[in-house]
Amino acid sequence: MIETMRPDVLGCHQCALRSQAHQVVFGEGNAMARLVFIGEGPGMEEDRQGRPFVGAAGQLLDKMLAAIGMTRFEHVYILNVVKCRPPQNRTPLPEEVASCLPHLKRQLDILDPLIIVLLGATPTRTLLDPQVRITQARGRWVYRDNRWWMPTFHPAALLRRPEWKRSVWSDLKLVLDKYRQLIDPDHDSPYYPVHR
Ligand code: URA
């Protein structure tokens, strides 16, 4: 059970981020879900509430999930690369990512997802390829360690660049195809119905 590791993560002081954050953001969702979304790290609202993706980017993520017929507590689990908010929402430093990575790896070991959506450059570089450019990597499946990995743009990037939404919708349709192949062939969605 993923909850058994929550106390370890909440008690972590492995890097300097913890001393400036209000609280540690563990992640949330359905612990039985085999589809996981991974972001970069908590922002101001996440730091306030102790929950992932609850600010403006999170509201967009919820809408993206709704478009593929999903909700965060039923179909997915939501994680971040770093569990404490970086000051001024800066990108986490390599040493902060390295300190936090054992938590993320353990969460993935326990959840054992079949499909992982990487939201933006930070999770994609951390988990797939340190050199990667998200504009090149997005929309292409990587099959590794018995899991299917799909990089796409981060929802916060879509708030700044709405013209990227079309690409993310195409990536989400690939995710939904894979979800139907591997997890639930009958999963329905309002904008991309099951082909019968
Ligand atoms: N952005 C992230 O990457 N993660 C969150 O939890 C919120 C915003």
Side-chain angles (χ1 to χ4, degrees):
M1 247 319 258
I2 190 157
E3 284 303 315
T4 59
M5 62 172 289
R6 188 183 285 264
D8 275 0
V9 179
L10 298 197
C12 177
H13 283 83
Q14 286 296 313
C15 82
L17 290 181
R18 180 66 188 92
S19 57
Q20 295 173 68
H22 287 104
Q23 53 188 321
V24 179
V25 178
F26 179 79
E28 72 181 21
N30 178 352
M32 304 301 287
R34 307 297 303 280
L35 169 60
V36 165
F37 281 66
I38 307 181
E40 175 174 297
M44 190 171 71
E45 195 55 28
E46 290 76 19
D47 181 60
R48 210 174 63 76
Q49 294 190 33
R51 299 177 50 208
F53 283 97
V54 288
Q59 285 169 20
L60 182 52
L61 180 61
D62 283 334
K63 283 191 198 162
M64 289 158 53
L65 290 173
I68 53 171
M70 296 189 184
T71 66
R72 67 165 69 202
F73 288 111
E74 195 178 351
H75 302 91
V76 304
Y77 204 94
I78 301 175
L79 297 171
N80 278 306
V81 171
V82 296
K83 315 302 186 196
C84 295
R85 182 191 183 204
Q88 283 82 47
N89 297 345
R90 63 159 169 74
T91 305
L93 302 172
E95 58 266 33
E96 293 159 352
V97 170
S99 303
C100 217
L101 195 54
H103 297 316
L104 178 60
K105 292 235 163 116
R106 208 168 136 212
Q107 288 176 314
L108 291 178
D109 281 347
I110 294 174
L111 291 169
D112 195 22
L114 292 165
I115 306 170
I116 298 179
V117 180
L118 299 162
L119 298 168
T122 297
T124 306
R125 289 181 178 153
T126 302
L127 293 162
L128 284 186
D129 174 357
Q131 308 298 332
V132 94
R133 299 176 75 93
I134 189 65
T135 46
Q136 301 294 312
R138 64 140 284 273
R140 297 169 200 250
W141 286 114
V142 173
Y143 182 67
R144 192 187 288 176
D145 300 331
N146 297 318
R147 314 193 198 286
W148 291 93
W149 307 75
M150 173 57 73
T152 192
F153 293 127
H154 192 287
L158 301 184
L159 296 173
R160 294 188 300 268
R161 307 190 66 154
E163 69 275 18
W164 283 358
K165 285 186 181 174
R166 184 187 290 265
S167 304
V168 172
W169 175 235
S170 120
D171 303 345
L172 287 175
K173 285 192 286 188
L174 296 175
V175 170
L176 185 47
D177 287 338
K178 193 68 80 188
Y179 187 89
R180 286 173 177 154
Q181 274 165 26
L182 300 180
I183 297 174
D184 178 7
D186 296 322
H187 179 81
D188 221 338
S189 101
Y191 301 109
Y192 192 51
V194 190
H195 315 287
R196 291 182 204 274

